[in-house]
Every structure is written in C-alpha cells, then in structure tokens.
Amino acid sequence: MNVHNDCRERYHKLYEKNIEKIKAKSSPYVNACREPAFEKFMQLGIPTTKNENYRYTDLSHFFNYDYKNYFLPGREDFLKAEQFRCNVPDLDTHGIILLNGFYPTLTDKLRELPGGIMVGSLNEAAKTFGDKIAQHYNRFINGDSDGLVHLNTAMAFDGIFVYVPSGVKLQKPVQVVNLVDSDNDIFNQHRNLIIVEKNADLTLIICDHTLSPQKFLTNAVTEVYVGEDSHFDIIRVQNEHNNAAKITHTFIHQEKNSTASSNNITLHGGLVRNSTHHFLGGEGAECSAYGLYLSDKFQHIDNYINVNHAFPNCRSNQLFKGVLDDMAKGVFNGRIYVMKDAQGTVAYQKNNSILLTDDAVMDTKPQLEIYADDVKCSHGATIGQLDEDALFYLQSRGIDRREAQLMLMFAFAHEVIQNINVEALRERMDSLVMQRLRGELSRCANCMVKCG
Amino acid sequence: MLIISNLKAAINEKNILKGVSLEVKAGEIHAIMGPNGSGKSTLAAVIAGRDLARITEGTVTFMGKNLLEMTPEERARQGLFLGFQYPIEIPGVSMMNFMKTAVNEQRKYKGLDPLSASDFLKIMREKKELVGIDSKLTNRSVNEGFSGGEKKKNEIFQMAMLEPKLAILDETDSGLDIDALRIVANGVNKLKTPDSSVIVITHYQRLLDFIIPDVVHVLYDGRIVRTAGKELALELEDKGYDWIRKEIETSGLS
Amino acid sequence: MENDQDKIINNVTSGEYKYGFHSDIEIDSIPKGLNEDVIRNISLRKEEPEWLLEYRLEAFRHWQTMTIPQWANLKIPDIDFQDIIYYAAPKKKQGGSQHANSIDPELKKTFEKLGIPLEEQNHLAGVAVDAVMDSVSVKTTFKEILAEEGIIFSSFSDAVKEYPDLVRRYLGTVVPHTDNFFAALNSAVFSDGSFCYIPKGVRCPMELSTYFRINAANTGQFERTLLIADEESYVSYLEGCTAPMRDENQLHAAIVEIIVENNAEVKYSTVQNWYPGDKEGKGGIFNFVTKRGLCRGENSKISWTQVETGSSITWKYPSCILKGDNSTGEFYSVAVTNNYQQADTGTKMIHIGRNTKSTIVSKGISAGHAQNSYRGLVRVLKKASGSRNFSQCDSLLLGDKCGAHTFPYIEVDNQTSIVEHEATTSKIGEDQIFYCNQRGISTEDAIGLIVNGYAREILNKLPMEFAVEAQKLLQISLEGSVG
Ligand SMILES: Nc1ncnc2c1ncn2[C@@H]1O[C@H](COP(=O)(O)OP(=O)(O)OP(=O)(O)O)[C@@H](O)[C@H]1O
Ligand SMILES: [Mg+2]
C-alpha cells in the first residue's frame, strides 16, 4: 500500500513541476485532455500486483526510481537520430525515427506521401490536423482502468501520427524505429495516433531498440482507428536490453467489416508489458492478435490482450507463444469479452509456452467472458516441453538432439512469425528468431552496436 | 550385421520384451510377425533408441558396435533406419528443411561436404519418383495432415533419401492401397543392395509376396517363439496364431 | 426455430423447486446477531471444551478485521451479518437426546419427504447417513456397523465430545480460520456437520453421506465437516442439501477439510440443491463454501465431484493440495444456473510433491438470466517435477440473456511439468438438435438429451444411487425445456 502511495505522489510532483512546460508546446485539444486524465491517474495510481491485470507483473522497481529527463527533447536528440539506419535486407518501407519518444527532426516534421497520406510527428500534426485529432485522440482509451494509460494522456508530448485517407491503400509499410539512447537513465512517454479512414489499407511496423545501456522506462500509448472496410496490420518487434522496461498500450478500434491484426514479437527486453486491445466496433469486423516471446536471464515478458466483441458476427483469433530460458518469466493475460448483443461471434485464443529450465516461470490467465449465446468461443493454454516423440523422430533420422530441439523450437515460433505479411520482414524475423534460439543474439543484452 | 541377444525391456515396470535373440546378416531380409501387442514395435523402438522402454537385460550390436550405448541420432548415422508404425506429425517443420538437415548431418558424419541446394533438390526429385510420392507432400510440414497411406510412403521416401544399411519397417504396408503397396515394395527392393538388410514387421503375407524374406520370425508375448523360412508366413496366413499358442502352452514355455 | 427455442427456454424457468416445503418443527434458537456472547452461547449449548471456544473467538476476532471478497464474478447484495440467526435447533422432546432411537416424527417425516429415511432398515442399502437440520445433527445411521471396522462416523458435535484429541489435531489444519472471510465466519460460529475417520488399511464398506437441510427462517447454516483417511484406506463420501422456498435470502457458509495419508483415497461427491430463488431472483440461498483436501501422503488421492444446481449465489472452489509425491487430485463439476442464479465455482490444484497429477473437468450450463463462471487455479511449484495437469472447462448457453465465463489461472514454476488447459463456450448445437428432430425427437427432448449427454462424463463419476438422483435434478433444474 505504501509503495503505491509513494509512486502516486512521485508522479504528482512531477506533473506539477512540468505540466506548464509541456502544455506550452502542445496543441489545445491535447492539453484539454491532460487534467482529467491526471485526475484519473491519481485515482488509479501505478498498477500493483493487487490489480488483476498486473497480478504477475511488478512494476515498482521501474516506477519507483528517479529518472533524469522525462518530457521534452534535448538538442542532442536531433543529431543522433540521423545516424541510425535499419538494415533489414529488401525491406522497403516509409521509415520514421522516434528518439526517446520524440520526433527528432526540426524540419520535415510531417511528410505527405502519395494519395494524401500524412506521416510524421503527432505534436506537429496537431497544429494542422486539429479536427482529425479531436475526432480520434483519446477516444478509444477513455474507459480504461489502467492508470498508466491516463498518465500517458496527462504527460505525453509527442509521437507518431499516420493518416490514411479514404480509399487509399498504402503499398509500402510505414516503419517506425523507436530508439532509446541517452547518457542518463530516462523515462519516456510517447503517444501515437493512427487513423485509417474507410476502405483504406495500412501496415505499420514498430521496432523498439535501446542503443545505450542506461536504465530506461517507456510508457507508450498507440491509438488506432480502422474505418469501415479497411485493413490494418501492426507488427511490433522488440529488441531492448535487460535494464529497460517497455510498457506499451495499443488500442485498435475497428469499424464495420474492417480487418486488423497485431503482432508483438519480443526478442529481448528486461521488463516488457504489451497490452493490446482490439475493439470490434462494427458488424463483420475481424481481428487477429499474435505474440511471440523468447526470453532468458531475468527477463520478464507480459502480454495482455483484450478482444472486445461489441457487435454481431465478428471474428477474432489470438495466438501467443513463447520459449522461456534461464530465470525468465512469461505472463499471458488474454481475454475474450463478448457483449450482450454480439451474436454470431467466433472467437479463439491459444497460448502455448515452453519452459527450458526449472527456474523459468510461466503464468497464464486466459479468460472468456460471454454475455451472448450464439457464439463459438474457445481457448487453450499449454505449458510444457518439446514433444519427446517428435524429438525422437528427428533423431532417428540422424539429426542431433540439440539441432532437433532447435528445429522444433523454431517451428513452434514460426507459427506466430508466419502471420507477418511483409515478406522481407518475415524472413528477417525467422532468421532473428533462429539466432535468438541459438543464443547468438544474446549479445543484444547490452549491445550498443547499431545493428537494427 | 545386427545381433540381438537375450534382450529384455519394460515399459512402466511392465515387462514387454522377455528375452529376444535375433541375428540379421548383411544382405538378408527378415520378417517379424506376431499378434497385436506382442512387442514388435517395442523391439523396433528399442533398437532405434527410444528411451520409453527401459532395457533390463541383453545386448544389441550393430556392425560390431554396441548399439545400446548410442544416442538415436548416432544409430541413424551408423545406417540404421526405422520406418515408424505411426509416424508423428511435426507442424511447422518443413519436409524440405527436415530432410536437408538429416541428409547433411549424415554426410557430415561421413566426412562429406553438405549437398548444394540444387544437388539436394535433384536427389529429392529422383527419390520421390522412385517411391511414387506426390510432389506436393514434400512442400508441407513433416507428416502434417498426411493421410495414413501418405505417411507410410513418406517413411519409404525418407529411407530412400538416407540409404540405410539396415531398415526396420514397422507395418509399412498397413494403410496402403494395392497400387501403393506394390510401389512401396518395389521401392524397398530397388533400394536394397547386396550388403544392406531389411527387417519388415507385418501382419500380412501380401507384402511378403513382393518383399521376399529369407527368414520369418514369430514374436509372441515378448519372445521369438518360432523362426523359419518364408513358408512360415504362408502357414500363419492360413492358420492364424492359435496353433502356435497351443504349442507353446503344451511345451510349457509361457 | 428461434421462437421455439425461446419458448422452451422460458419453460426451463418454470421448473419448480420440489424441496421448497417448510416443516413445522419447534425450534430452539439464539436470537439474531453476532458478537462474542453469541459465540460463547453456541459453545455453551454444545457443551464444548475451552480450547474450542478459544478457537472460535480467535476466528471471530480475525473475521472482524476482514471484508467480504469482491474478486468473484458475482453481484453479492449487502449481507447484514447482525440480521441472521446463528444457532437454531429442532427442540428436544421431553429432554430426550436427539440421537435416541425415538426421533421426532415430524423430523422423520421431513427427511422422508426429502427421500432420506432415517430408519436404517428403510434406507438404501450401503449408505450411512448423517442428517443435519439447521444447526444440529439429528441422526446418524449405521454408526455401530461402521464402528466394527474402526470407522468413526458421527456428527461433528459428538466427535468433539467423544474424540476431542482427533478433532483438535486436525481442525483448521487444511483450512485455517484466517483463510478467507467466510472461512473465518464459519470457524467462529460453525454449528454441526460430520466427522469421519477411516483407520489404516480400511476400505469403508458403505457410502457415507451427510444430508443438510435448512428449515428455520432467518437462519444461517454453518456446517463443518472433517474427514480423515489414514494410510491405505478408502472412503466414498456424499453430501446433499436442500432448503425451503422463502422470499428472503439465507446464508450458508460451510467448511470441509479432508486429510489423506499414504496410499489412501477419498472420493467426495456433492449434489447441491439449496433453494435457488424464484423466477424473478427473489430469495434463495447464498452459498459460500470453502472445501479443501490435503493429499498429505504419497500416492494419496482426492476426487471431488459436484453437481451444483441450487443456491441463488454459489461461491465454491473445492481444492486439492498435492503435497505427497505421486498424489492425485481430481475435480469433476457440473454447474447449472437458471433464472437469476449466479455461480462462481471451480477448483485449485496446488502441485507441491513430485509426479503429482490433477484433472479438472468442468461443465457449466447457463440459462435464463443466470451468470455462470468457472474459476480455477493450477499452480505447479518448483519442486513438483514431473507433474501433470489437464483441464477441460466447457460452457453451454441456453438463451441469449445468460452469461458464461471462464477464468483459469495457470502458474508453472517447473520445467518438467506439463499443464494443458482447454475451454469452449457455445450455445447448444443447432445441428445436433436438428439431427434429433430428423429422427423424430422433439426439440424439447433433444435439448434434454444433449444437456444430459453433455454432463454425462461428470454424472458417471457419482456413486450409482446419486447419479440417478443427479440426473433427475438436472432435468428438474432445466425442466419444461430440458426434461
Ligand atoms: N507407451 C506405452 N505405455 C504402456 N504400455 C505400452 C506402451 N507402448 C507399448 N505398450 C504395451 O506394450 C505391449 C507391446 O506393444 P507393441 O506396440 O510393441 O506391440 P506390437 O506387437 O507392435 O502390436 P501391433 O501389432 O498392434 O502393432 C502392448 O501390450 C502395449 O500395450
Ligand atoms: Mg506395432
């Protein structure tokens, strides 16, 4: 209880001290959301393990800590960003870099792509796209009971803005490279807003990297609006060091007959918590939520997924898989919520985890909450080891046991990877996962090489 | 080539193999028959190194080496092949990757360089034709969604790829249609060289019409109770196992 | 089809509760309210030893620091704990003992009406009964025959007098008085229940059972059951319960503790049919129960089977602590909720010993405006190598106003263990109904067949006599539509 109150007070002080500075550089609409959000935060506080949704994830170490700069970009940020290059072969994207939560260029802060697509800084967009922002910003998270979401609304300053007008299908994905790099321990909160209007199409790739070994805490909120008949994919690839905490909240609001997918691939990270919310807000909407977590050492990876069926005849599918080595801990919190009139719902959920050592831990909590009767819902969860019969089959063909284990683990992970519909990225992920499983990627733990 | 002597094995404290002795010489074809549950698959699994059954007594030597000390993969690289009665499905592991790994592991063991991709594909194509397996099957995951017969053909295809010295085929004939049976049997015959050997485990004479055994054994309640030439299989086909059971009972063996 | 089904589902709700009568029996009770004096009074009436009074008081003091748990998926109305009678007993006639051979004829009639004859010669062969009315046990049958085998089967109150050391040794060892709000309450005010001890190496020759009846108005029922199976022993234990129809809610908060030693096995079956309230959700029993078994010995086994059809609110998680190596826990459950009933029920399987195994099969059936939740925990501790759990939790929905929910918690700290959980939720299969229709079976009968088939796996786990009863009960609970 005490820790809880301390934390709240800590952020109260921080808010008081910095809010005027933040407000001065933000747009009126975004500013108008801040105070009510902060009040909500003060009611809810930083989630503790008493909170059912954080039952297995203790955030206190990261939140009860003094970070250096929290809110506004420094000059050096702008210089650094230029140096980073993503080197995934054949991956052709519209790239943007976000450094420590800010859009790090002074010019060209909002780019226009063919078809009227806008990509750039949210803070900048708020100046010229005020009406779009007012329509969607802070709309899909309001009822959320997670204090961190409201803390973000209260204090986030910048992030990514993507706008795809009606009828426009963006062929190339938009890729956001999210870098954290500083000589100080920092806490950053950024906010992304993605708007995909009617009958449009967007693939968004977000790559999370840490480039220096300091202690980092990120609390990021992404709101996505997917219009009628539209299609949206978000793929998040996380590769952060063991002293970093990454908390992401993604809210995907889907209109009638839209389809959307989310895919969280966590290769590395000290403490990672991804909460993803798909709100099926119109008849015939469909969504898929995927996740893959590969962890070792003392890493802690928590995936929270909530699919809300609010309208009839929607479909959803969840698939989360993970391999846990050393002392790592995995958490899966998945929820299918079918509202009263959402007849004709089809919803599936699956969580499979493999423990490689006796010190690894997996806690899983799949949930079905169903208030309509014409539904087909199921979930399955398994925690175990590789299938001995399959291993023997491979060995009996002369394949080394270690190699056979790798093959099976890779196949296990590939079931998630195969859903990435950007071929170059899928191949890259396959090879990263293979490296990760072979332990070759472990140097990422404290990597300062800009390997992408 | 393979010498098994007084082999005893138990699963979950239940004795399944109760003293099996058997010798297979280079170039020979042996058939093992016997009623359901008599221990045929267990024997095959023990030879291949599945640790589900615990060996309590006996020895198995293969090409002069103690087989029981080797891991399953070592046995395979020595040239031992098991065609499974129930081949397992392995989702996510592609046939192509699986076979390439297996073939190259074997080459590595023999001190050969890995096959180039094109050579590998060429061999795949040849062997697929040899056993009459549908091309599309090798684009899928190992055995995943294969029909019963397709799984069996896939076993023979893998045997063709790995060119073993001793192949143990556990009921490879069950689930095959008549044409497939002939194709598979022909495949086995073509793959057989003068110094390689085969053990076929089967319930039916019809396979033995195609793959003609030198020796036929009857495994009964964990023991080999009869060994004779190919005519034994015909006799069994005719009379079933009852007469053997009676003979054993009167001789007080069981 | 749709309309047809609606009608049928409406019919379901008109199924009558057959045990809703009230017997006119004079009662002797302690006035409403709860304080230390009431507890002293209960203890005094039961002529309890000092240590037990102390145990109660300690529990009471702890209870006062606690609040009613909110985590379940239940809407629990405020309960005024001062507005409940904590002790009510059928009045003794002319000072005779309740366990004397002459039972009050009115009492006898009551239990006969419930299908529980108290005369041994009339009773189902092979089932010994402890009949509990409100706060006291009125009759325990076959005591003498069981005693020949060394089996102790008696009311809890008698056991306190006759075997105080045994009771004292085990009471509260599996469910401590601090365990939860309702356990603390029960530990403070528990009235009667059954006590059972099976000695080493004894297979209990008959089914043991307790039948609980709430009769008096405004009264809470707080029974306590303690079951000990010594090494190499076996017992199958049954429990049934009913209550009159009343407009107000009545509280039932029980504790069952089981201890199982090396190579022993306990099978515990419950058919819970407390009054569920009427069609509008008025009245009914609030059923808050803590049941827990400790597999203390190696190769020990506890198997819980429950058929839950009654109560307006059910809050119940029969659990197994698998401490002994190779011990086994099982939980088989059918929970039917109809009208405005709410159930939040499931189990906990705590794997502590090596090679421990647990199986959970839960079937929820929800109709009317009811809400039915499965809540379960499977925890595999670090030392529990080679452990296995398999859970299957299915929910069936009849009608579009009810809800079905599944909340499993799975916590695994051990690499060599395998835990598998599966759950499905669906409405009753239209193609199955059609298939039956096509064979000339009415929709109503078809639903009956399907629901029964759905619950079959669980009903089959019950002892024969009970299985038939339970099947009838299932039909009655969903009567009209599902008969
Ligand atoms: N994993 C296992 N666990 C327990 N018993 C087993 C296991 N595997 C085999 N057995 C038992 O061992 C005995 C021998 O089985 P095996 O499969 O070797 O028989 P088989 O001769 O191959 O029979 P079939 O002709 O039906 O294939 C049988 O009684 C079988 O039930
Ligand atoms: Mg066999």
Side-chain angles (χ1 to χ4, degrees), chain B residues 34-52:
Chain B
N36 294 130
S38 56
K40 302 180 298 295
S41 297
T42 307
L43 176 64
V46 165
I47 297 172
R50 182 74 171 103
D51 57 8
L52 208 66

Side-chain angles (χ1 to χ4, degrees), chain A residues 263-408:
Chain A
N263 201 333
N264 286 312
I265 296 170
T266 310
L267 297 170
H268 260 286
L271 184 150
V272 176
R273 155 90 178 189
N274 293 315
S275 72
T276 309
H277 305 252
H278 282 269
F279 186 85
L280 301 172
E283 214 174 323
E286 285 188 29
C287 74
S288 307
Y290 305 106
L292 175 67
Y293 41 97
L294 305 173
S295 53
D296 58 10
K297 311 262 164 44
F298 279 100
Q299 298 177 355
H300 180 115
I301 298 172
D302 176 347
N303 276 291
Y304 175 89
I305 163 84
N306 180 19
V307 173
N308 194 331
H309 285 257
F311 281 80
N313 303 315
C314 294
R315 292 173 159 266
S316 67
N317 185 27
Q318 304 175 24
L319 175 67
F320 284 77
K321 301 184 92 172
V323 180
L324 302 162
D325 203 348
D326 298 337
M327 265 83 58
K329 175 161 173 168
V331 178
F332 174 73
N333 245 296
R335 183 162 176 251
I336 295 173
Y337 189 89
V338 179
M339 284 164 74
K340 203 162 165 302
D341 295 312
Q343 299 296 1
T345 289
V346 179
Y348 301 112
Q349 179 186 74
K350 200 164 103 174
N351 174 229
N352 307 119
S353 308
I354 291 179
L355 300 184
L356 296 179
T357 69
D358 262 354
D359 293 315
V361 175
M362 181 70 205
D363 293 325
T364 173
K365 208 178 96 189
Q367 305 170 52
L368 301 174
E369 273 182 80
I370 293 160
Y371 295 91
D373 71 327
D374 187 4
V375 301
K376 278 202 189 76
C377 299
S378 74
H379 67 209
T382 61
I383 301 170
Q385 309 92 47
L386 297 172
D387 180 0
E388 269 306 319
D389 287 320
L391 273 175
F392 177 67
Y393 192 85
L394 295 173
Q395 281 178 277
S396 80
R397 299 298 181 249
I399 298 169
D400 213 70
R401 187 171 171 89
R402 175 74 196 139
E403 190 63 30
Q405 283 169 335
L406 281 171
M407 281 174 92
L408 291 183

